[in-house]
Amino acid sequence: MTCTGCADKVVHALKSTSGVQKESVNVNFLMGRADLSFLPDFAQENEIMEKLKRSTGFRVVILDSGDMQDAGLAKAWISVNSINGGYRAIEGIEGITKAKLLETAKGRHLFEVAYDPILIGIRDLLSAINDRDHGTEAHIVTIPSEEMLTANLEKSHMKILGWKTVIAAVLTTPVLIFAWAPLNIHKPLAHIIQVFLATAVMATAYNIYQGAWGTIVRGGAGGKKIDMDVLITVATGASWAASVAILIVTGRNVSLTPENEPVEPFFETCCLLVTLILTGRWITAKVRIWALKRVVDVGEGEGSKDKNTPQAMLSIEGATPQAISPGLLQYGDVLVVEKGDVIPTDGVVIDGKAEVDESLLTGESKPTVMRAGSLAMAGSAVVTGAFRLRVTRLPHENTIAVIRRMVRSAGGEKPKIQEIADKVALYLTPIILGVATVVFFIWILVYGLARSETWGKSAIFAITYAVATLAVSCPCAIGLVVPMVIAFTSRVGIRKCGLLVVNPKALEGGWKAKKVVFDKTGTLTTGKLNVVSAKCFLNGEWGDFDAEAEQIVRTLCKNEKHPVARALAAKVGAGKEISGLEVETVIGKGLQATSENGTIRGGQPSWTTAGGESHPLVLEVIEQGLSVFTISIDYTLRAIFGLDDTIRPEAPAVIAELRRREVESYIFSGDHMGAVKKVARELGLSDQYYRYGCTPDQKSAEIKSLQEASPGTVLFLGDGTNDAVALTQADVGFSFGDSTEVAVSASDIAVLSTSLNSILEFLDLCTRVKRCILAGFSWAIIWNLFAILAAAGAFVKFRIEPQWAGLGELGSVLPVILIAALVGIFWHRTSLA
């Protein structure tokens, strides 16, 4: 695809295909991909692909099959050499949920397998296949990534387009020589040669004419019948047809033309138009691919030559660590990572200590210290030291994979300003055709009446002006501005700000931000709580922490990610748990489980037991400004914990800077009044700027009231599952730090760094985005206006000749791409403490 108009064609073609669910069609022009859902009873993948090829003339390849994308499943290509052959080689193996035979060749069978990595790891899966029969051999085959498939398709397209451009240029050269050089050659012979050469040049651009015909017959998005290809077809076709007509007419009746002023055909016009248009599209496509590559290369060094996933060193008890392909990793594997290594996938450090460079993901230049319990992200590089980590995410679901998926899908959501630009481009194309028609008639009258030329000769002159007007315009540049800016913004956000733009619409929200709402624990505070007081009720009296209480805490909190649960789990450490207990998370309340002794609850005092918030020991903890966590058995208090947290060092400066920018700051927390008030006072916020004891629904309602109270957008920063509702309600939702998966999925911006400075960098980034978009729109509009007027002959001393009008697309699109690249130029990180 060369422009957003091409994406419109794809949308229209897919939506008009039987079996395709229209509301599911999502086309990303920059990524050159389309996502859709279809009904297998009415259509198949290959049928849809062939229909799209016929409708658009584009080359199409299937990136991923929908039937292998079930949540929680991993996918692998497995090559099996088996005497059983076919599906018998893998049938009945526990954990395999779906399998598709891709090809069979010389006794080897290639399967695409979807399996549950929790039930069976990939190495165990291969072993199970190999154990089926004597002589059976199975190994994984590298699955071509979407980036690889797209890159191969782009390379093929660029190669074909490049050759077409060269051929067109070679064929155009003699046409220019015949037209411009004073050659002593018989004119009829020269004209015949020009006809054949010009026709051959036109044939090199057959894709443009094919696309124009498809648009006229089937229409683009919204059924429109005119696009850029149609304008180019009319312009080049008119100049070619007019030249042929001149030869026919003058050949039949020489007297129609005065002998001293013969009307010459202008085949050089259509030849140069086609050549320059192909050249412009080749250059802009090259630049677009360069921009796209820089966006999707997440987690790879700027100058890295080896773009392959790093090998992992698998630690085996009592043996030397062995090199293993990341594709063979399983949950629970222990990897050894040393100085200079790149972490192959996400995991938790179990022992050792090292400094890790996470700048390619978080934008933080300062290395992060990793020790036991730290979360290590894929793509990070070890600067000094070494450690062992336990794999918690496989390569297909780690941080790098998630970021790439989100970057690929980011272009699917269109900001409002993009929708406006698309509408402008939609109407501008037929308007230009109308303008060219008016220009044609005006110049006929000017030459025929004011300059006393013959009407035939006037028509020829008028055609040149109309052709130039059509060819020089480029409405697609207007539709290209926002996608290109968003593409560069995605890269700048990840590489320099530690921000992942999940929803591009959030960038518009950042322009108008007037209020920022912060969650407290884990957002304004470090989230690294310490248990400073613990009281347990046993044998009728309150005393110190006892073994049974430790066992309850260990069971409730062992797998939880909330900062309070982590602090309690760290307090009790490893040890005996209550067997057979299923723990349930009650959003906004706490944790709950049912045991033989009754219902066990852990969380807010008011939820764990009736009147718990007024218990004397709870009030004592509250007075100290500590967070409270209580445990009850059958709604009777069993333990009361007081936890202390520290405010992030940069928080006061960030709040002050927001105030300087006239952006109000609020705290909405589920914690009790004492803990919230303490943090608010330290940050200089008065009582009207914080809410305490908020449930998820209350947070959402409070944000809604802020939205209704005054103009401007509301931003919300949260990090927990209980923040998901508020993240969705806010105009822009930020999942902050080590957010839960639920929070990330509900957010518009994922903050990969651990600094509150990210909110300021987001606002600065939005300002740059706005400026670049406005600059891009300004250039596209001014250029088109100037070029159309110059081509139409509006200026007395300057005119863009029709043969050079093909440069119009290059002059319009290339600056738009360069302006988009300015988003990240001379970027300076915000650093407040």
Side-chain angles (χ1 to χ4, degrees):
M1 293 189 288
T2 58
C3 66
T4 52
C6 299
D8 292 342
K9 288 183 182 179
V10 175
V11 170
H12 186 65
L14 290 175
K15 286 187 176 182
S16 61
T17 301
S18 176
V20 173
Q21 296 177 315
K22 295 182 180 181
E23 65 280 1
S24 70
V25 176
N26 189 350
V27 177
N28 187 328
F29 153 64
L30 277 180
M31 299 295 171
R33 59 176 283 147
D35 296 286
L36 65 131
S37 299
F38 63 93
L39 303 174
D41 293 339
F42 295 93
Q44 296 298 320
E45 294 172 355
N46 291 332
E47 294 174 1
I48 296 172
M49 184 173 69
E50 291 302 320
K51 169 74 181 300
L52 186 59
K53 286 181 179 179
R54 291 194 304 269
S55 300
T56 62
F58 299 151
R59 304 185 69 193
V60 184
V61 63
I62 297 175
L63 296 177
D64 205 356
S65 176
D67 61 356
M68 289 288 180
Q69 293 181 342
D70 290 2
L73 299 182
K75 185 175 73 173
W77 280 9
I78 300 177
S79 178
V80 181
N81 184 9
S82 172
I83 58 175
N84 285 327
Y87 288 97
R88 293 179 57 194
I90 61 174
E91 64 183 359
I93 296 178
E94 183 183 7
I96 294 181
T97 58
K98 294 181 181 179
K100 181 194 295 185
L101 182 61
L102 300 179
E103 64 180 32
T104 300
K106 297 181 180 180
R108 296 201 69 86
H109 310 277
L110 181 62
F111 293 96
E112 184 180 48
V113 175
Y115 66 96
D116 189 340
I118 297 177
L119 296 179
I120 186 169
I122 185 63
R123 297 196 305 276
D124 297 334
L125 176 57
L126 294 176
S127 296
I129 296 173
N130 290 333
D131 292 341
R132 277 294 172 89
D133 294 293
H134 178 70
T136 298
E137 296 179 359
H139 64 273
I140 63 170
V141 177
T142 301
I143 302 176
S145 65
E146 292 188 21
E147 287 78 18
M148 186 186 300
L149 291 171
T150 304
N152 291 338
L153 204 61
E154 292 280 11
K155 285 179 182 177
S156 177
H157 168 69
M158 289 297 297
K159 186 176 181 181
I160 293 173
L161 184 57
W163 276 112
K164 286 181 178 180
T165 305
V166 171
I167 292 171
V170 170
L171 295 174
T172 298
T173 302
V175 175
L176 298 180
I177 293 173
F178 283 128
W180 295 345
L183 298 177
N184 185 18
I185 188 172
H186 189 51
K187 281 195 174 184
L189 176 61
H191 290 158
I192 291 172
I193 295 174
Q194 284 180 298
V195 170
F196 283 105
L197 289 175
T199 304
V201 171
M202 298 274 283
T204 61
Y206 73 90
N207 287 108
I208 294 176
Y209 307 124
Q210 183 184 34
W213 175 251
T215 301
I216 293 170
V217 173
R218 288 178 288 270
K224 67 174 184 175
K225 302 293 185 180
I226 300 174
D227 63 5
M228 193 60 196
D229 284 349
V230 174
L231 294 185
I232 293 172
T233 298
V234 173
T236 56
S239 60
W240 181 88
S243 298
V244 172
I246 290 171
L247 290 183
I248 295 173
V249 172
T250 55
R252 286 185 175 181
N253 192 349
V254 180
S255 64
L256 291 177
T257 304
E259 292 182 3
N260 58 340
E261 290 185 40
V263 177
E264 293 289 342
F266 44 96
F267 287 108
E268 70 277 7
T269 296
C270 62
C271 291
L272 261 179
L273 277 178
V274 170
T275 302
L276 292 176
I277 287 169
L278 290 176
T279 302
R281 290 195 172 186
W282 185 85
I283 292 174
T284 53
K286 195 79 174 175
V287 175
R288 184 181 68 84
I289 293 171
W290 167 80
L292 180 60
K293 182 175 175 58
R294 291 175 67 82
V295 171
V296 299
D297 281 350
V298 180
E300 297 173 350
E302 296 288 347
S304 175
K305 294 181 180 180
D306 183 11
K307 300 291 185 182
N308 297 321
T309 307
Q311 287 288 99
M313 295 301 293
L314 180 64
S315 177
I316 303 173
E317 291 295 334
T320 304
Q322 299 176 359
I324 185 174
S325 168
L328 291 172
L329 291 175
Q330 303 181 164
Y331 288 130
D333 281 346
V334 176
L335 306 180
V336 177
V337 187
E338 300 178 335
K339 179 180 178 180
D341 290 344
V342 175
I343 299 172
T345 193
D346 296 357
V348 177
V349 178
I350 56 176
D351 57 49
K353 184 178 180 181
E355 288 187 335
V356 176
D357 180 8
E358 298 178 326
S359 60
L360 292 180
L361 297 174
T362 66
E364 298 283 354
S365 58
K366 185 179 179 180
T368 303
V369 177
M370 293 283 171
R371 50 174 61 89
S374 299
L375 299 176
M377 291 190 293
S380 304
V382 179
V383 179
T384 59
F387 57 82
R388 295 195 308 156
L389 78 155
R390 190 177 306 280
V391 173
T392 57
R393 289 183 179 178
L394 301 180
H396 75 277
E397 60 183 356
N398 63 26
T399 304
I400 295 291
V402 170
I403 289 175
R404 283 179 172 160
R405 279 198 297 271
M406 289 184 174
V407 168
R408 285 197 297 262
S409 63
E413 292 287 345
K414 288 186 178 182
K416 289 182 180 179
I417 194 169
Q418 175 63 37
E419 295 175 1
I420 296 172
D422 288 344
K423 287 182 179 179
V424 170
L426 179 70
Y427 292 109
L428 190 58
T429 311
I431 287 173
I432 290 170
L433 185 58
V435 169
T437 304
V438 173
V439 167
F440 173 76
F441 285 110
I442 287 176
W443 281 108
I444 280 184
L445 296 176
V446 169
Y447 277 97
L449 299 178
R451 300 183 183 180
S452 301
E453 297 284 356
T454 64
W455 290 110
K457 195 169 184 179
S458 298
I460 296 301
F461 283 121
I463 285 175
T464 64
Y465 283 99
V467 165
T469 303
L470 289 172
V472 81
S473 62
C474 185
C476 60
I478 295 174
L480 186 64
V481 172
V482 176
M484 285 307 308
V485 172
I486 289 176
F488 279 99
T489 301
S490 298
R491 176 182 173 84
V492 174
I494 294 170
R495 291 294 181 88
K496 297 186 178 182
C497 306
L499 298 170
L500 175 60
V501 181
V502 180
N503 183 359
K505 291 181 179 179
L507 297 171
E508 286 182 308
W511 303 345
K512 308 168 186 176
K514 291 298 180 184
K515 301 179 180 69
V516 178
V517 179
F518 296 90
D519 176 44
K520 181 180 74 70
T521 306
T523 304
L524 284 174
T525 63
T526 61
K528 297 177 181 178
L529 287 83
N530 297 310
V531 180
V532 296
S533 69
K535 296 292 182 180
C536 299
F537 189 75
L538 187 64
N539 299 326
E541 60 181 17
W542 289 93
D544 295 331
F545 217 6
D546 60 82
E548 184 184 51
E550 285 187 3
Q551 190 176 359
I552 295 173
V553 170
R554 192 176 293 119
T555 305
L556 288 177
C557 302
K558 64 173 182 177
N559 294 322
E560 295 299 318
K561 293 184 177 181
H562 193 279
V564 173
R566 285 181 176 177
L568 289 167
K571 173 71 174 178
V572 299
K576 188 177 179 181
E577 300 174 10
I578 303 174
S579 60
L581 207 63
E582 292 188 7
V583 179
E584 174 191 3
T585 300
V586 181
I587 296 177
K589 302 291 185 180
L591 306 167
Q592 180 174 280
T594 302
S595 70
E596 58 184 17
N597 295 325
T599 301
I600 300 175
R601 282 186 171 184
Q604 296 180 5
S606 59
W607 179 68
T608 55
T609 184
E613 68 278 10
S614 59
H615 190 281
L617 291 179
V618 171
L619 293 175
E620 183 180 318
V621 173
I622 290 175
E623 288 176 2
Q624 298 175 42
L626 303 176
S627 297
V628 184
F629 186 90
T630 57
I631 292 177
S632 68
I633 299 178
D634 270 348
Y635 311 107
T636 300
L637 282 182
R638 177 67 174 79
I640 300 172
F641 301 96
L643 300 94
D644 190 20
D645 199 356
T646 55
I647 294 176
R648 293 182 182 273
E650 73 277 10
V654 169
I655 299 295
E657 176 62 19
L658 288 172
R659 188 180 297 116
R660 188 188 68 80
R661 299 187 185 194
E662 298 182 350
V663 178
E664 298 176 349
S665 300
Y666 295 80
I667 302 175
F668 291 175
S669 175
D671 213 338
H672 61 81
M673 183 181 70
V676 178
K677 187 175 183 178
K678 177 184 177 184
V679 172
R681 287 287 184 269
E682 292 185 32
L683 295 176
L685 299 178
S686 58
D687 293 350
Q688 62 179 322
Y689 291 106
Y690 66 83
R691 313 282 189 273
Y692 59 88
C694 295
T695 63
D697 290 338
Q698 287 173 337
K699 281 186 182 181
S700 178
E702 291 287 353
I703 290 174
K704 186 176 182 180
S705 66
L706 289 180
Q707 291 170 324
E708 295 173 348
S710 60
T713 55
V714 177
L715 282 57
F716 176 75
L717 279 75
D719 70 332
T721 302
N722 60 338
D723 293 326
V725 180
L727 287 167
T728 304
Q729 176 62 47
D731 295 298
V732 181
F734 287 76
S735 58
F736 186 77
D738 181 28
S739 304
T740 64
E741 294 180 7
V742 176
V744 172
S745 64
S747 64
D748 301 300
I749 304 292
V751 182
L752 303 176
S753 69
T754 57
S755 172
L756 283 175
N757 291 326
S758 297
I759 185 65
L760 300 177
E761 293 184 324
F762 170 74
L763 296 177
D764 292 338
L765 187 61
C766 288
T767 301
R768 282 209 179 192
V769 167
K770 182 178 181 180
R771 290 173 180 171
C772 288
I773 287 177
L774 292 178
F777 279 146
S778 299
W779 172 262
I781 293 171
I782 291 172
W783 167 263
N784 272 283
L785 182 61
F786 165 78
I788 289 172
L789 290 174
F795 304 122
V796 177
K797 296 184 179 180
F798 176 75
R799 179 194 174 195
I800 297 179
E801 299 289 341
Q803 61 266 31
W804 301 110
L807 290 172
E809 185 172 350
L810 189 62
S812 182
V813 172
L814 193 57
V816 163
I817 297 175
L818 296 177
I819 288 171
L822 294 176
V823 170
I825 300 297
F826 303 119
W827 181 269
H828 298 289
R829 295 217 65 185
T830 302
S831 181
L832 300 177

